Amino acid sequence: MKETPLDELVAEAIEEGRNEPNDEILDMFETLHERLVRAASAVAAEIARRRR
């Protein structure tokens, strides 16, 4: 899990899309956001489960 830090992948995706027109890149960023929210929720649920 430490080989490819998630925050670096996200920063790279944002940087690569920075100069793209909104109509071409906005959907990608919205999808990325939704996936990150789901991932963060899954991690939070696993932390809560292990603390019980």
Side-chain angles (χ1 to χ4, degrees):
M1 285 177 46
K2 294 181 181 182
E3 290 180 26
T4 308
L6 183 58
D7 57 332
E8 288 180 22
L9 291 173
V10 171
E12 185 177 314
I14 291 170
E15 186 59 35
E16 287 179 9
R18 192 166 305 277
N19 295 319
E20 297 293 326
N22 280 347
D23 59 339
E24 293 179 16
I25 203 74
L26 193 54
D27 284 344
M28 187 209 67
F29 283 142
E30 288 173 341
T31 299
L32 177 60
H33 179 257
E34 291 167 4
R35 293 178 70 185
L36 288 167
V37 167
R38 283 195 307 269
S41 178
V43 171
E46 183 61 15
I47 289 169
R49 183 188 74 78
R50 290 178 179 266
R51 285 190 172 155
R52 283 185 230 148

